[in-house]
Amino acid sequence: MRDKIISKASDLFLKLGFKSVTMDDIAGEMCISKKTIYKYFCNKEVLIKESTSSVHQKVHEIIDSIVVKNHNAIQENFEIREMFKNMFQSSIDTSPIYQLKKHYPEIYTNLMRHEIDQCSQYFRDNITKGIEQKLYREDINVDIYVKFYYTLIFHINETTSSEKEAQLAELQALEYHTRAIATLAGIIELEKQLQRVTH
């Protein structure tokens, strides 16, 4: 039951926002009493903490499942972006991450601490793979570009309240990042991927 509550709460938080979903909403959606929820979670903040942790884990499992498909490094980034776009389809326009930061800053800060570590590792692996595949230049400072890219991405998510705008900016950040490190072959692959997502 505990896992079912986390799963349903995660869905509702991502679709409707962390602030607007109440314990009553979750109980109503699950056809259970509010008392049942409080048996497992003493308050909404604890449930949000568990839900964001569960979503974080799910995101990284999906990223891993994309990575093992062995796409080239550029396509891999586009596939992951697509996954995020589908996963964070919200029925309100406010970005879930922006909401979390605004209304539950402590939970947000803890989540981001883990997120930055894991994302940095993923970005580093992706750049290394792209260099091996001759899609990214060999002469780049990998650590610096990892830092550039996650600074861009996290800044977009922290400061853009509209989910639609955030997703558009993320696509432009991905293009910007790729162009900065790509070889000629990498640019050709980038154009192919951009063609695919914008048509």
Side-chain angles (χ1 to χ4, degrees):
M1 181 51 89
R2 189 174 184 280
D3 290 345
K4 281 182 184 165
I5 295 169
I6 290 173
S7 175
K8 176 53 74 180
S10 302
D11 287 348
L12 290 174
F13 289 143
L14 291 180
K15 278 195 187 90
L16 305 170
F18 290 99
K19 185 73 176 156
S20 53
V21 173
T22 64
M23 295 299 233
D24 283 316
D25 294 332
I26 298 162
E29 278 283 321
M30 295 185 72
C31 302
I32 58 174
S33 72
K34 206 158 69 165
K35 214 166 113 183
T36 307
I37 298 178
Y38 282 113
K39 200 170 102 179
Y40 298 95
F41 307 97
C42 60
N43 59 36
K44 185 178 163 184
E45 283 209 14
V46 173
L47 182 52
I48 287 175
K49 198 181 281 183
E50 293 285 341
S51 297
T52 51
S53 173
S54 161
V55 170
H56 168 83
Q57 200 179 329
K58 200 152 95 184
V59 161
H60 288 284
E61 280 167 12
I62 298 172
I63 288 176
D64 289 343
S65 75
I66 292 171
V67 171
V68 298
K69 286 181 180 161
N70 241 335
H71 297 298
N72 69 58
I74 293 171
Q75 186 180 352
E76 184 176 277
N77 278 337
F78 275 84
E79 295 287 337
I80 288 169
R81 184 196 159 267
E82 195 64 25
M83 174 273 292
F84 273 108
K85 195 177 152 194
N86 295 334
M87 199 168 176
F88 295 100
Q89 289 279 349
S90 176
S91 57
I92 50 162
D93 193 38
T94 317
S95 150
I97 290 183
Y98 181 86
Q99 271 200 22
L100 190 64
K101 187 187 181 200
K102 188 177 176 188
H103 301 294
Y104 302 96
E106 206 174 297
I107 297 173
Y108 173 82
T109 305
N110 285 332
L111 182 72
M112 283 302 128
R113 204 171 292 136
H114 298 297
E115 204 56 60
I116 283 174
D117 288 346
Q118 279 188 282
C119 282
S120 297
Q121 188 52 56
Y122 161 70
F123 294 156
R124 188 172 287 109
D125 291 347
N126 179 268
I127 292 175
T128 307
K129 179 179 183 175
I131 291 170
E132 284 165 8
Q133 295 171 337
K134 309 259 186 280
L135 294 172
Y136 301 150
R137 300 191 324 272
E138 282 177 12
D139 60 345
I140 59 174
N141 181 327
V142 176
D143 289 334
I144 291 286
Y145 277 92
V146 165
K147 199 175 273 187
F148 284 168
Y149 190 43
Y150 83 63
T151 303
L152 262 179
I153 293 295
F154 285 104
H155 181 74
I156 289 166
N157 282 299
E158 284 181 352
T159 58
T160 313
S161 65
S162 159
E163 183 61 32
K164 205 179 277 176
E165 271 178 46
Q167 287 181 358
L168 195 63
E170 278 178 17
L171 177 60
Q172 288 167 337
L174 175 55
E175 181 182 353
Y176 179 80
H177 165 72
T178 310
R179 284 192 191 283
I181 61 177
T183 58
L184 191 56
I187 296 290
I188 292 166
E189 179 59 30
L190 171 66
E191 296 294 350
K192 192 172 101 183
Q193 294 301 327
L194 286 170
Q195 197 78 15
R196 192 171 62 86
V197 296
T198 52
H199 288 86

